[in-house]
Amino acid sequence: IDRPMPNAMFGSRINCRACHTESGSDFKGDPLVRATQEACVACHTDEYGKMFEQWTGEIETYLSEAEVLLANAEKRAAELEKAGRPLSRESQTLLDQARENIRLVKAGRGI
């Protein structure tokens, strides 16, 4: 059985503020506190700075892929609606969750 695994920082008893140290704003202009490469290096080594770059690059790739998949799903949902076959409640809930998850990753910039 696949079970979700907690973030490694959770096991180290580190909270969000340990890595999220830089004030900023999200894409809507709302305030947030960003993770920084410097925070990684401060507790670890310079190699973790490279990991930060790797993570952000991977997240950008996955986010782009997810946005394409969401757009395809929304297009298909619209086609079904137009044909008189709207999505089931469960399918609509999953589509709504996908939108919200993508919004969350974009707002948090993944790290």
Side-chain angles (χ1 to χ4, degrees):
I1 297 175
D2 280 335
R3 293 192 178 140
M5 187 153 205
N7 184 291
M9 296 300 136
F10 175 80
S12 299
R13 300 183 188 269
I14 301 294
N15 69 21
C16 303
R17 290 285 190 169
C19 302
H20 292 253
T21 59
E22 183 179 286
S23 295
S25 58
D26 67 11
F27 61 94
K28 297 183 301 184
D30 292 336
L32 58 78
V33 182
R34 291 190 180 114
T36 66
Q37 198 168 12
E38 293 79 15
C40 296
V41 172
C43 291
H44 299 282
T45 66
D46 288 339
E47 291 301 310
Y48 273 76
K50 294 175 187 170
M51 283 181 61
F52 185 94
E53 292 172 11
Q54 178 185 347
W55 290 339
T56 55
E58 288 174 357
I59 289 165
E60 287 175 19
T61 299
Y62 295 140
L63 182 58
S64 294
E65 291 172 359
E67 289 176 316
V68 167
L69 292 171
L70 177 60
N72 289 341
E74 289 174 328
K75 180 181 176 187
R76 182 66 179 137
E79 290 169 353
L80 290 170
E81 178 76 31
K82 188 175 180 180
R85 298 174 36 218
L87 294 179
S88 68
R89 186 176 311 151
E90 180 183 7
S91 294
Q92 186 60 55
T93 297
L94 290 171
L95 193 56
D96 292 342
Q97 288 173 345
R99 278 189 208 103
E100 180 60 18
N101 287 337
I102 287 172
R103 187 201 66 76
L104 177 65
V105 172
K106 285 176 80 169
R109 298 197 173 136
I111 301 287

